[in-house]
Every structure is written in C-alpha cells, then in structure tokens.
C-alpha cells in the first residue's frame, strides 16, 4: 500500500539579489554651445540598491499581494488629504538655499550673495543671441524667483526675500549696496556683459 500523499504547499518568495547589486538608470543630452567648439552635456544618473536581505523589504509591500490585510491596500477617499499624502513642494528657493549652503561652507555670506545675484538679474536679465539656446532658457527660468510667486505672498514666506531682491533689481535699486555683505560677484562667474550697440 502506498503511503498517503502529502499535499504540497509552496510559500511565496521574494526576489533577492546578490549583495551590492545596483539598478542604474542613465540619461543624457549633449549639444554644441554658441562658441561651436565647446559641447555642453547634461547627464542624469540614478542608482538604486537592490535588496539582498529580507529585512530590507518594507513589510507592507509584502502584504500588498498576499491574502492578509495590510496598510498597502487601504482604501483612499476622494478629496481627503492627510499629512502623509504627497505634496509637490519643489520650489526654486530650495535651489537658492542649496547655493547659499555651498557659499556659507566656503566662507561667504551665502544668503546675501544669492540675493545680490537675483537683484542684478532683475536689473539686467540674461540675454542670448541664439533664440533656441536651451541653457539660456533653463537658466532664465531657474534664476527668476518670480516663477515661485503667488498672488498672496507674504513677508513670512521663505520665497519672499528672493522675489523682493529680484524686484529691487527691476526697480533699478543699487544691488551691491543693498546686499553689501557679499564679497564676491556670483553673476560675473557665469555671465559677461553683452554690448547692445
């Protein structure tokens, strides 16, 4: 007589990778500059460490496709946001604060230098002889804090000082006197005077 057959049960498995395995995405674009003998390249690279240990996989991801109720399958109600929901808060002043941090770590007055630069750009906006200059378009957007402006901006908001500096320049106020604690001219590092005559 044959022994009774045991029912086979297979557990679900997670995909684990050898230690230090990376998932890498690369993207880039290159184009000639206006001087024709210099190429400008922009590249983006993202590296993601893949899990090699079960403890690195968030528990609620494992519950998502299992028969158990976990936090990954909670129902969402329309129109109701909580403090954990995603907010698109990428603002230009975050970039300005990053530049300030770099300048501060180099011994300069970062906030004053950024405000002085924005003021100067308000007075003398960037110019390009080529209408299809991508670098000029990007720089013009990033270096204009008015792109962060809202109709209800108040002095308490972090972006206010940057917008005020830019408007000071547009109103032809003396930028170097207003923001005189900056000992370098950032604008001279990446621009040159354009002769319009």
């Amino acid at each position: 007589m044959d022994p009774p057959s045991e029912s086979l049960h297979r557990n679900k498995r997670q995909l684990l990778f050898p230690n230090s395995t990376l998932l890498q995405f690369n993207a880039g674009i290159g184009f000639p500059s206006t001087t024709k003998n210099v190429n400008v390249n922009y590249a983006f690279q993202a590296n993601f460490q893949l899990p090699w240990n079960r403890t690195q996989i968030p528990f609620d991801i494992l519950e998502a496709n299992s028969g158990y109720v976990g936090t990954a399958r909670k129902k969402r109600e329309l129109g109701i946001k909580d403090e954990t929901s995603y907010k698109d808060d990428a603002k230009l002043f975050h970039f300005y604060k990053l530049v300030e941090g770099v300048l501060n770590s180099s011994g300069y007055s970062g906030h004053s230098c950024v405000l002085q630069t924005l003021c100067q750009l308000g007075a003398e906006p960037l110019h390009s002889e080529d209408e299809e200059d991508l670098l000029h378009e990007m720089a013009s957007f990033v270096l204009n804090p008015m792109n962060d402006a809202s109709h209800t901006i108040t002095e308490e908001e972090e972006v206010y000082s940057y917008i005020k500096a830019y408007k000071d320049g547009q109103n032809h106020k003396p930028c170097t006197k207003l923001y005189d604690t900056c000992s370098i001219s950032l604008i001279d590092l990446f621009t040159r005077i354009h002769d319009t005559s």
Side-chain angles (χ1 to χ4, degrees):
M1 181 176 225
D2 292 335
S5 62
E6 295 180 13
S7 61
L8 296 177
H9 176 72
R10 291 190 179 184
N11 292 323
K12 292 182 181 177
R13 296 185 172 269
Q14 293 95 32
L15 184 59
L16 296 176
F17 299 87
N19 195 349
S20 300
T21 303
L22 290 176
L23 175 63
Q24 186 178 80
F25 293 103
N26 294 307
I29 184 170
F31 51 90
S33 70
T34 54
T35 59
K36 306 294 184 208
N37 58 355
V38 175
N39 286 331
V40 178
N41 297 303
Y42 294 96
F44 170 78
Q45 182 181 69
N47 293 311
F48 301 95
Q49 183 80 44
L50 296 177
W52 68 86
N53 189 316
R54 159 63 187 90
T55 59
Q56 296 171 317
I57 302 173
F59 188 72
D60 113 305
I61 289 176
L62 300 178
E63 291 180 335
N65 293 318
S66 71
Y68 301 102
V69 177
T71 56
R73 292 285 190 179
K74 286 185 178 175
K75 292 183 180 178
R76 301 184 185 273
E77 295 181 25
L78 294 176
I80 299 175
K81 291 185 178 180
D82 61 5
E83 64 277 354
T84 60
S85 61
Y86 172 75
K87 296 175 187 173
D88 180 13
D89 63 350
K91 301 289 183 188
L92 293 174
F93 75 86
H94 294 150
F95 170 72
Y96 305 148
K97 288 195 174 297
L98 178 68
V99 173
E100 288 173 10
V102 171
L103 291 170
N104 288 336
S105 66
S106 300
Y108 299 103
S109 175
H111 190 63
S112 181
C113 288
V114 168
L115 293 180
Q116 184 185 89
T117 302
L118 293 175
C119 180
Q120 291 169 327
L121 287 168
E124 299 170 346
L126 294 175
H127 172 78
S128 175
E129 295 174 359
D130 184 0
E131 292 180 7
E132 297 181 8
D133 187 348
L134 178 63
L135 182 59
H136 170 260
E137 292 297 320
M138 290 170 55
S140 295
F141 179 82
V142 170
L143 297 173
N144 183 349
M146 297 299 292
N147 293 319
D148 265 354
S150 64
H151 297 294
T152 59
I153 192 164
T154 63
E155 290 185 30
E156 288 78 32
E157 294 184 49
E158 290 183 272
V159 70
Y160 178 81
S161 62
Y162 304 107
I163 292 174
K164 181 185 178 304
Y166 194 82
K167 285 184 176 180
D168 286 343
Q170 288 178 325
N171 295 327
H172 304 291
K173 292 186 179 178
C175 298
T176 52
K177 288 183 181 177
L178 286 174
Y179 309 104
D180 60 353
T181 56
C182 181
S183 58
I184 58 170
S185 175
L186 288 181
I187 199 164
D188 290 336
L189 296 176
F190 63 92
T191 66
R192 62 181 168 82
I193 300 295
H194 176 73
D195 186 13
T196 56
S197 61

